[in-house]
């Protein structure tokens, strides 16, 4: 079991302890409606919840799952997806004298894992019996760990042999090649002196000398400056040796011999070299988000609420078997939280750092003091905001012009429906199992800089289904022992996303919470 999962399990067990303590007393309270948004006139509601979410995969839309950010996860390490390699590929083409040659270093494999804790504190005040006002102040702790590695399948280039254990072989080759060129130059000079500078043999010799000198200079420049070189056993490595074999034939026609074989790269590029020589320089001083630092709680988006009561039917006596309460809540959201710069790579709900508004309808039905059904419908919208996003070019995550860019936009509107039937074990204590449907509209962000020639960054609209189990204690209107009031509600819930559209996060969540009511006229 991973440390993060075991920590969440321990947290959930600790959350169940208060419920276990309440079990012997639960029968002394009456069955209660739960999640009441409306509170009595003059009363104050204090609420705190903490949800722990873990995710590393998204649904693929075909019944399977894959890890976050597939563009990073399985990108071929070549100039086609990594423009920083274009200079190396141009050098390779010059060495082979083949303008269509392609450089490949394998495939980049990586993963992202998100662990987020969301803790909202809410306070409400009953203005009148049918109207409540309140505010929610959330705190968020989010940790993203990511890793990048390089798998060598399909690689045709490796570490420059002049920079490794083959440096002595490279030095010997260059020395012998220089001696061969010097001998060739002397032989050509003698021919031109004997047959004249305009003779065919002299002209052919000069052409051969210029061609081979240029080839040897290209080799020397690559060994001096390049990070990469054709790999032993690869197609381009054999092509380079074939070109040198042709050079040896040219030398032999002038009675000159040279080194038999070009030293090729024998060491493939490692994951550490990928990060230090390519990824870190590309992503600038902040580097690639291989891990976030030890994180502290940050302020999220503050909300103000207005709650209006709709229905209030309470069971009273043997003839009335139904309790039904329903209320609507209007919210204004302020962008007090820090925007999530990795929203394109690891999209999680709810988004952070956006203003907007929302409406929520909560209804709870209790039948015969044994069965309850809690339903919740919520709609939220978000306003545009400018901030820095990572990997701003979704078509090419390694585009150096779009690694960190200021974009303006917002996530799509969000709709959530939750239905949780529960069985009341004893009055006040209930066990429930629920279903939740969550839909997020398409999010879109546009470059702020006019000179940034990339398409809008888009997070497609998604929907997903979540299942949950919960244990809840509610004792709002009853006495705990004797005349001691105990107006409190406790909750422990575990949930898991079990299906979703392409791009929908596959997450696990553990949630604990407490609501305490004080005062009232």
């Amino acid at each position: 079991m991973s440390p993060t999962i075991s920590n969440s399990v321990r947290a959930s067990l600790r959350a169940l302890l208060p419920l276990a303590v309440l079990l012997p007393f639960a029968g002394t309270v009456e069955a209660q409606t739960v999640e009441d948004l409306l509170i009595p006139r003059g009363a104050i509601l204090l609420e705190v919840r903490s949800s722990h979410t873990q995710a590393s995969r998204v649904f693929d839309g075909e019944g399977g799952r894959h890890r976050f950010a597939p563009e990073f996860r399985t990108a071929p390490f070549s100039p086609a997806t990594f423009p920083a390699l274009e200079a190396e590929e141009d050098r390779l083409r010059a060495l082979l004298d083949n303008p269509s040659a392609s450089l490949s270093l394998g495939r980049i494999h990586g993963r992202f894992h998100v662990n987020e804790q969301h803790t909202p504190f809410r306070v409400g005040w009953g203005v009148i019996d049918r109207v409540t006002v309140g505010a929610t102040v959330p705190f968020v702790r989010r940790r993203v760990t990511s890793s990048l590695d390089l798998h060598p399948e399909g690689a045709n280039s490796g570490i420059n042999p002049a920079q490794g254990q083959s440096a002595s072989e490279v030095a010997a080759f260059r020395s012998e090649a220089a001696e061969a060129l010097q001998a060739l130059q002397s032989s050509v000079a003698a021919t031109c002196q004997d047959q004249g500078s305009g003779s065919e043999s002299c002209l052919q010799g000069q052409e051969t000398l210029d061609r081979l000198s240029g080839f040897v200079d290209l080799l020397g420049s690559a060994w001096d400056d390049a990070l990469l070189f054709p790999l032993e056993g690869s197609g381009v490595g054999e092509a380079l040796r074939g070109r040198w074999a042709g050079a040896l034939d040219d030398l032999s026609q002038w009675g000159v011999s040279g080194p038999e074989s070009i030293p090729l790269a024998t060491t493939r590029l490692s994951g550490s070299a990928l990060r230090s020589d390519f990824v870190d320089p590309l992503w600038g001083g902040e580097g690639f988000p291989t891990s976030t630092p030890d994180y502290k709680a940050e302020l999220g988006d503050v909300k103000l609420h207005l709650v209006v009561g709709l229905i209030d039917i309470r069971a009273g006596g043997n003839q009335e078997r139904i309790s039904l309460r329903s209320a609507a809540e209007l919210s204004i959201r302020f962008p007090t939280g820090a925007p999530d710069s990795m929203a394109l790579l690891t999209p999680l709900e709810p988004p952070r750092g956006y203003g907007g508004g929302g409406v929520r309808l909560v209804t709870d039905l209790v039948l015969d003091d044994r069965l309850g059904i809690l339903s919740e419908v919520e709609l939220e919208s978000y306003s545009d905001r400018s901030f820095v996003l990572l990997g701003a070019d979704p078509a090419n995550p390694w585009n150096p012009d779009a690694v960190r860019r200021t974009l303006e936009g917002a996530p799509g509107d969000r709709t959530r429906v939750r239905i949780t039937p529960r069985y009341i074990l004893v009055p006040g204590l209930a066990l429930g199992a629920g279903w939740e449907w969550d839909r997020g509209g398409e999010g879109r962000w546009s470059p702020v800089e006019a000179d940034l020639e990339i398409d809008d960054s888009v997070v497609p609209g998604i929907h997903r289904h979540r299942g949950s189990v919960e244990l809840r204690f509610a004792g709002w209107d009853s006495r705990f022992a004797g005349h001691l009031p105990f107006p409190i509600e406790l909750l422990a819930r575990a949930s898991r996303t079990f299906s979703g559209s392409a791009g929908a996060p596959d997450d696990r969540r553990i949630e604990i919470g407490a609501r305490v009511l004080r005062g009232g006229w």
Side-chain angles (χ1 to χ4, degrees):
M1 181 179 291
S2 69
T4 54
I5 294 177
S6 61
N7 289 339
S8 298
V9 171
R10 286 195 292 269
S12 64
L13 292 177
R14 288 195 297 269
L16 291 175
L17 287 178
L19 297 176
V21 172
L22 291 169
L23 184 58
F25 305 97
T28 65
V29 300
E30 299 174 1
Q32 303 289 326
T33 56
V34 297
E35 297 283 350
D36 287 336
L37 299 177
L38 196 68
I39 58 178
R41 179 166 63 102
I44 295 176
L45 174 70
L46 302 176
E47 179 178 353
V48 60
R49 289 195 178 186
S50 183
S51 62
H52 304 256
T53 303
Q54 298 176 13
S56 62
R57 296 177 180 272
V58 295
F59 293 96
D60 61 10
E62 299 178 355
R65 298 167 174 84
H66 59 68
R67 297 193 182 277
F68 279 129
E71 296 83 0
F72 286 92
R73 182 178 60 89
T74 59
F77 193 23
S78 66
T81 55
F82 209 102
L85 288 173
E86 289 177 354
E88 295 284 346
E89 185 174 70
D90 289 343
R91 182 179 284 112
L92 173 67
R93 289 172 174 175
L95 283 175
L96 300 180
D97 193 24
N98 180 0
S100 63
S102 298
L103 180 145
S104 175
L105 295 170
R107 300 187 69 86
I108 297 174
H109 286 240
R111 66 188 299 263
F112 291 88
H113 184 86
V114 181
N115 192 320
E116 180 172 279
Q117 179 180 351
H118 187 254
T119 306
F121 293 85
R122 175 168 174 149
V123 60
W125 178 64
V127 180
I128 58 177
D129 286 340
R130 289 282 183 174
V131 177
T132 296
V133 295
T136 298
V137 180
F139 291 89
V140 180
R141 299 176 65 185
R142 191 181 197 198
R143 181 173 180 82
V144 178
T145 56
S146 59
S147 63
L148 287 177
D149 201 1
L150 186 62
H151 289 207
E153 62 265 21
N156 60 19
S157 297
I159 296 296
N160 189 339
Q163 301 176 5
Q165 297 178 350
S166 301
S168 58
E169 297 179 24
V170 172
F173 178 93
R174 297 179 72 171
S175 177
E176 294 178 25
E179 293 175 358
L181 288 178
Q182 184 64 42
L184 177 61
Q185 184 178 19
S186 298
S187 181
V188 171
T191 298
C192 291
Q193 184 176 4
D194 292 342
Q195 300 183 19
S197 60
S199 65
E200 183 177 355
S201 296
C202 178
L203 294 176
Q204 288 179 349
Q206 289 290 352
E207 189 274 333
T208 299
L209 178 62
D210 291 343
R211 186 176 68 255
L212 296 187
S213 296
F215 185 24
V216 172
D217 288 344
L218 281 174
L219 289 170
S221 175
W223 282 320
D224 289 338
D225 303 327
L227 173 64
L228 307 173
F229 203 76
L231 187 66
E232 182 82 44
S234 68
V236 297
E238 293 305 314
L240 182 60
R241 280 184 169 162
R243 187 180 180 190
W244 180 248
L248 290 178
D249 290 341
D250 291 337
L251 288 172
S252 66
Q253 293 179 10
W254 291 87
V256 177
S257 61
E260 290 297 324
S261 182
I262 294 180
L264 298 178
T266 57
T267 304
R268 299 177 187 270
L269 196 71
S270 65
S272 60
L274 163 70
R275 292 185 290 272
S276 63
D277 295 323
F278 291 94
V279 174
D280 289 347
L282 172 67
W283 285 72
E286 298 178 64
F288 183 79
T290 52
S291 65
T292 56
D294 291 339
Y295 60 115
K296 298 180 180 179
E298 298 179 342
L299 180 65
D301 298 330
V302 174
K303 293 182 180 180
L304 298 182
H305 310 287
L306 172 65
V307 178
V308 178
L310 302 178
I311 302 174
D312 188 355
I313 301 174
R314 307 196 189 195
N318 295 329
Q319 302 301 317
E320 299 180 16
R321 302 166 50 194
I322 296 177
S323 293
L324 176 64
R325 302 195 74 183
S326 179
E329 175 186 87
L330 300 176
S331 298
I332 299 176
R333 179 185 182 117
F334 298 93
T336 52
D340 180 11
S341 64
M342 296 187 69
L344 297 177
L345 308 180
T346 56
L348 278 189
E349 297 289 347
R352 291 183 285 134
Y354 298 92
V359 60
R360 184 161 63 123
L361 177 65
V362 177
T363 302
D364 189 39
L365 170 67
V366 178
L367 179 63
D368 286 339
D369 291 341
R370 279 300 176 187
L371 298 177
I373 300 177
L374 175 66
S375 64
E376 181 179 351
V377 179
E378 181 179 15
L379 295 91
E380 282 191 307
S381 63
Y382 307 95
S383 56
D384 289 353
R385 180 174 180 177
S386 298
F387 66 102
V388 175
L389 269 172
L390 305 186
D393 184 357
N396 187 357
W398 299 109
N399 180 352
D401 294 328
V403 170
R404 300 172 188 270
R405 283 295 183 174
T406 301
L407 305 182
E408 182 176 5
D413 295 345
R414 181 185 179 211
T415 304
R416 183 169 62 89
V417 177
R418 175 189 291 169
I419 299 176
T420 309
R422 66 186 184 278
Y423 179 73
I424 301 172
L425 302 172
V426 292
L429 190 65
L431 179 65
W435 163 83
E436 178 180 320
W437 176 76
D438 191 2
R439 177 190 177 276
E442 179 184 87
R444 183 176 294 271
W445 293 265
S446 302
V448 173
E449 301 96 329
D451 60 339
L452 183 56
E453 297 182 358
I454 64 172
D455 295 333
D456 288 353
S457 300
V458 176
V459 172
I462 61 157
H463 65 268
R464 55 183 177 167
H465 300 270
R466 177 188 300 274
S468 64
V469 293
E470 65 176 44
L471 186 62
R472 187 189 297 265
F473 172 84
W476 289 112
D477 303 322
S478 304
R479 303 289 173 175
F480 180 57
H483 297 287
L484 177 64
F486 198 73
I488 191 170
E489 182 177 336
L490 300 176
L491 168 70
R493 176 190 292 139
S495 63
R496 172 69 186 266
T497 304
F498 59 86
S499 70
S501 61
D506 173 23
D507 59 35
R508 304 177 299 278
R509 181 174 300 165
I510 293 177
E511 183 179 355
I512 56 177
R515 308 172 77 223
V516 179
L517 186 67
R518 287 293 181 263
W521 297 344

